[in-house]
Amino acid sequence: MAITSFTSLAQAVVLRDDRQIEVTIAKPPQRIVSLLPSLTETVCALGQCEKLVGVDRYSNWPESIAKLPRMGGGIDPNIESVVATKPDLVLMATSARGAERFTSLGLTVLALEPRSHADVQRVMRIVAQALDVPVAESDRVWRHIDAAVNAAAQSIPAQAKGQRVYFEVSRAPYGASESSFIGETLQRLGARNILPASLGPFPKINPEFVVRAQPDIIMVGDSNFADMTTRPGWQNMRAMRTQRVCHFKSEESDVLVRAGPRMAEAARLMAKCLTGKANDKSKGQP
């Protein structure tokens, strides 16, 4: 009995999450619920997908999680469904609701919310520690992601560098500024963001701001693109007139707006846009 107790104590790990709360994980979790897509993807990137027993409604990658039970979203988690799966770890965003309720019901909650490239690396390390994955493996995964972002940057020809970009993340509109993880990626790709860091990571902006800024390229999801032409002055913007707008399919948008393991894929999508639109310009597209 004493040996069993000692073994249990030896396996326990104490981690500080993004709420600045110390979370004790008594033993490596075998049943995980993830309520944030980037955390779901992080678990899988670390080779632990099979331990997921439930995810939020927006988690849709990799394909292997398609049949997992859906447990609401960050603002409306289905408490009963989560509890019914008897998870030994719940991963969720700091901005999500329900953490205190889960804890009061005896569940172990780790709240993490990556907001930058450095955060993606840090969160991956914390999740690895929580799941008893060697930190060396977490670091290996991160190095692969970081190297792939660098490769995407190196793939962009010199004439495509320095283009001024407006990246729209959702209607209202909300844009990605220099201080967002999307802005960090654009900077690494050699692009210039029309939204300064001083506005905050994802500011709600006046559409006239974009008209005045006259970006060279607009990046936006398909669902937002149709709405753009109805905004005052937008049809006359150079980027709109010359079709220097990259509108991404919904599955591509998911990749672009998640601070997680698919950050390199997001960089490749942006690099393809920057290169393609620069080539259009050099060919004198009207």
Side-chain angles (χ1 to χ4, degrees), residues 16-281:
R16 184 179 293 274
D17 71 5
D18 288 354
R19 299 169 296 174
Q20 300 307 307
I21 291 176
E22 289 193 343
V23 179
T24 300
I25 299 175
K27 58 183 181 180
Q30 302 302 311
R31 298 180 62 79
I32 303 165
V33 167
S34 172
L35 298 176
L36 184 67
S38 62
L39 294 178
T40 302
E41 295 179 12
T42 297
V43 169
C44 292
L46 293 170
Q48 303 294 302
C49 236
E50 74 281 357
K51 294 179 181 176
L52 289 166
V53 294
V55 294
D56 67 287
R57 69 168 67 89
Y58 303 108
S59 287
N60 54 7
W61 187 90
E63 289 183 11
S64 60
I65 69 164
K67 294 182 180 179
L68 287 176
R70 304 289 142 167
M71 307 201 163
I75 61 172
D76 60 344
N78 190 319
I79 305 289
E80 293 77 14
S81 294
V82 173
V83 172
T85 63
K86 299 181 179 179
D88 39 25
L89 179 64
V90 178
L91 296 171
M92 60 193 304
T94 52
S95 56
R97 298 176 183 172
E100 291 182 2
R101 178 67 174 147
F102 288 138
T103 301
S104 72
L105 292 169
L107 301 183
T108 301
V109 174
L110 198 59
L112 300 162
E113 197 157 352
R115 300 171 188 264
S116 67
H117 288 203
D119 277 350
V120 173
Q121 180 184 19
R122 177 183 60 81
V123 166
M124 189 170 290
R125 268 190 161 224
I126 294 173
V127 173
Q129 291 174 281
L131 305 188
D132 198 32
V133 172
V135 169
E137 173 61 12
S138 165
D139 289 346
R140 184 195 67 78
V141 173
W142 168 253
R143 284 195 302 272
H144 178 76
I145 294 167
D146 196 48
V149 173
N150 286 336
Q154 291 166 6
S155 74
I156 301 174
Q159 69 268 23
K161 302 278 187 177
Q163 297 181 94
R164 299 173 67 256
V165 175
Y166 167 63
F167 190 111
E168 185 163 303
V169 292
S170 65
R171 292 181 182 178
Y174 288 90
S177 85
E178 293 173 325
S179 64
S180 67
F181 67 90
I182 293 170
E184 286 184 74
T185 301
L186 285 170
Q187 182 179 33
R188 289 179 67 174
L189 297 178
R192 294 160 59 200
N193 196 324
I194 68 163
L195 300 182
S198 59
L199 295 178
F202 298 105
K204 182 178 181 180
I205 55 174
N206 186 325
E208 291 181 12
F209 180 99
V210 182
V211 175
R212 291 196 302 271
Q214 287 291 336
D216 299 313
I217 293 175
I218 294 172
M219 298 185 185
V220 62
D222 270 344
S223 60
N224 289 25
F225 176 65
D227 177 55
M228 284 184 162
T229 57
T230 65
R231 298 172 188 169
W234 278 54
Q235 282 185 314
N236 294 321
M237 279 200 301
R238 283 193 306 272
M240 297 288 281
R241 289 199 324 268
T242 58
Q243 298 177 38
R244 292 192 180 94
V245 180
C246 294
H247 40 100
F248 301 100
K249 301 172 186 174
S250 59
E251 58 268 25
E252 292 173 330
S253 293
D254 286 342
V255 173
L256 290 162
V257 301
R258 293 177 185 173
R262 292 195 288 169
M263 203 167 67
E265 187 178 340
R268 285 191 289 269
L269 287 168
M270 291 186 210
K272 182 179 178 181
C273 170
L274 292 169
T275 301
K277 295 307 174 185
N279 287 338
D280 287 347
K281 186 175 182 179

